[in-house]
Every structure is written in structure tokens, then in C-alpha cells.
Amino acid sequence: SFTDVPRMRKPRDNCYIEVSRAGRTRSIVSNWEGRDQSPSHEEPTTSNSALGAPRGRMYSSRGSSQAAETNIVTSEEDVLSVLIEEHDLFLSSTRSRLTKLQILHQMWQRNDIRGVFSALEKMSDHAVCADMASVLMEKSEAITLDLCTSILPVLADLLESKTDRHVAVSLELVVKLVRTFGPVIHSTVSVGPSSVGVDLEAEQRRERCNLCFIELEKVKNKLPSLMRRKGAASNTAQELSLVFQEIMS
């Protein structure tokens, strides 16, 4: 009869250890090792059979407890899978960033700063742009009005970043550029072209100032939304707004 059937004992699997939370961690490691030895790595270990548990009914409350434990282990494995996947993406992104910085460094070594920012525009990588902006903060003496025409478009685009550090670095460099070149830009744009003769140098300066003024206007229009943000970016945006009022009004 049914009562004569001996109670089935659930075999222990090397992937399952019924202990505390630390024990569940060990079971996960064992299961990963087992998965590496398996002929197929695509099968999810979400069922009792995948963890070595027998199929069929559970004849005791202990069986139900082990089933619940299996779900916990599976959930922790899913978390580990996501973390490993994100780690791989991070490594790929970091390698790409390093490659771009190496290319820019070679151009910088050739003193081709205009080429550096021309390449940055094509790369469209906010992290790399922020890195270069940080370098220029320490090398601001190398910036000329001519270079501002190449630097400001990159800085204006960097303000679209969702990362607070990127925005803050961009704003800090814009503050320094406005303090240095703002008076020249403002006075040149405010005064009309000379009607006496042709001054090529003055015309070139006017063209550069006009280009810089256009980019600075783009930055100025973004300040209200940036000032509503929290953190360093908001504080620097407020500082830049005051600098604009002081120098270019």
C-alpha cells in the first residue's frame, strides 16, 4: 500500500549546502563550477532538477524548505550574472576610453591642440572630453583666442552630459576662458567693423570673437537648467552666470 512506500531521502548535491547565508554563497560558487564543466552553458538553473534535486512530489516539510532555498540560490546566481555582465561592459568602455586618450596624447605631443579638439568633436565621448578639459584647466596658458573657437563647442556639448563631474569640469573651464577672453570678445563684438581701409588681422580677430560669442551664448542659455541641479555643477553654473553679468553685459 501507499503507507508501505519508504520515505524518500533527497540526495545531497555538491551544489547545495543547507546552512546559513554564507552557506548559500558557497552553494553558488559550487554551482558556477558545475556550470563550467557542463556541456551546455545556456541552460538556466531554475528548476529542482538543475540543482540535483529529484523530480516528483515532496514528502516532507523539509523538502519544501529546500525548494525555497533553491529559489534563493537561483536569485543570487541571477544577480551574479548581471554583475559579471556589467563588469565586462565597464572593461570594454574603459579600454575604448584609454585608446582614445592615447590618440589625443599623441596629437598633444605634436602640439596639435586644435587637432585634439577636432578629434574630440568626432569622438562624441563625454568622459574623454571631460578628461581633456581637466588637462586644459592645468594648461590654460596654452589657450589662445584662436583655440577658443575649437574648445568652446566641445565644452558646450559636454554640458549635455548626465554626469555631474563632466558638467562641472566643463563649466569650470568656461569660467576661466570667460575671465581671460571675455573682455576682448565682448568689446570686439560690440564695436562695428572699421570703415577705414582693410585690416586683415582685425578681421580675423572679429571672426574668432564672433564664433566664441555664439558658443558662449549657447552655454549661457543652458545655465538656468544647470543651476537647478544639485552638486558642484549647480554651484559652478551660478558662478559662471555672475561672471557673464560682470564681464559680458
Side-chain angles (χ1 to χ4, degrees):
S1 65
F2 179 81
T3 56
D4 295 330
V5 178
R7 180 181 296 274
M8 295 179 63
R9 294 183 59 84
K10 200 167 187 174
R12 280 203 173 274
D13 189 277
N14 62 345
C15 300
Y16 177 83
I17 301 175
E18 187 182 10
V19 289
S20 62
R21 178 174 297 180
R24 291 202 297 273
T25 303
R26 291 198 297 274
S27 71
I28 293 172
V29 174
S30 301
N31 203 12
W32 271 96
E33 294 173 351
R35 182 184 298 179
D36 291 340
Q37 298 172 359
S38 173
S40 174
H41 301 288
E42 297 180 358
E43 289 295 326
T45 56
T46 56
S47 63
N48 290 338
S49 59
L51 291 174
R55 296 180 180 178
R57 295 185 180 182
M58 294 185 180
Y59 295 97
S60 69
S61 59
R62 182 185 178 190
S64 300
S65 174
Q66 290 177 339
E69 187 75 13
T70 298
N71 291 334
I72 295 174
V73 172
T74 303
S75 175
E76 290 177 347
E77 286 181 0
D78 292 340
V79 171
L80 285 175
S81 297
V82 171
L83 289 176
I84 290 174
E85 181 179 355
E86 291 181 351
H87 178 65
D88 291 340
L89 291 174
F90 172 78
L91 287 179
S92 175
S93 174
T94 303
R95 292 191 187 102
S96 173
R97 181 175 174 182
L98 176 60
T99 299
K100 294 173 182 177
L101 287 173
Q102 288 172 338
I103 294 172
L104 296 173
H105 181 259
Q106 292 174 1
M107 301 173 72
W108 185 278
Q109 291 293 92
R110 297 196 302 266
N111 202 31
D112 185 10
I113 303 179
R114 179 183 290 277
V116 167
F117 282 88
S118 176
L120 281 173
E121 283 192 272
K122 296 176 182 177
M123 289 177 181
S124 297
D125 188 321
H126 286 159
V128 176
C129 290
D131 290 337
M132 289 307 304
S134 297
V135 171
L136 280 179
M137 286 292 295
E138 305 299 326
K139 304 285 186 180
S140 58
E141 69 279 357
I143 303 176
T144 63
L145 180 63
D146 185 31
L147 286 176
C148 277
T149 61
S150 299
I151 296 173
L152 286 172
V154 174
L155 298 180
D157 179 71
L158 188 55
L159 296 180
E160 300 296 329
S161 174
K162 302 300 182 183
T163 304
D164 189 72
R165 171 186 165 270
H166 298 168
V167 176
V169 169
S170 175
L171 290 171
E172 287 172 8
L173 186 52
V174 173
V175 168
K176 182 166 289 192
L177 295 180
V178 172
R179 289 192 182 279
T180 304
F181 300 102
V184 175
I185 294 172
H186 178 65
S187 61
T188 303
V189 172
S190 301
V191 178
S194 175
S195 58
V196 180
V198 178
D199 188 340
L200 293 179
E201 185 177 347
E203 286 301 316
Q204 288 178 347
R205 184 172 62 251
R206 177 176 300 280
E207 181 180 356
R208 292 165 185 166
C209 288
N210 283 332
L211 292 173
C212 291
F213 182 80
I214 291 172
E215 296 301 324
L216 289 174
E217 283 295 303
K218 293 179 183 178
V219 172
K220 186 186 296 186
N221 291 335
K222 295 176 182 179
L223 290 181
S225 61
L226 295 176
M227 287 188 288
R228 289 193 292 270
R229 294 174 61 162
K230 297 180 180 179
S234 175
N235 296 333
T236 313
Q238 294 177 25
E239 179 185 358
L240 179 56
S241 179
L242 294 175
V243 172
F244 273 130
Q245 295 176 22
E246 174 188 347
I247 297 177
M248 303 188 67
S249 297

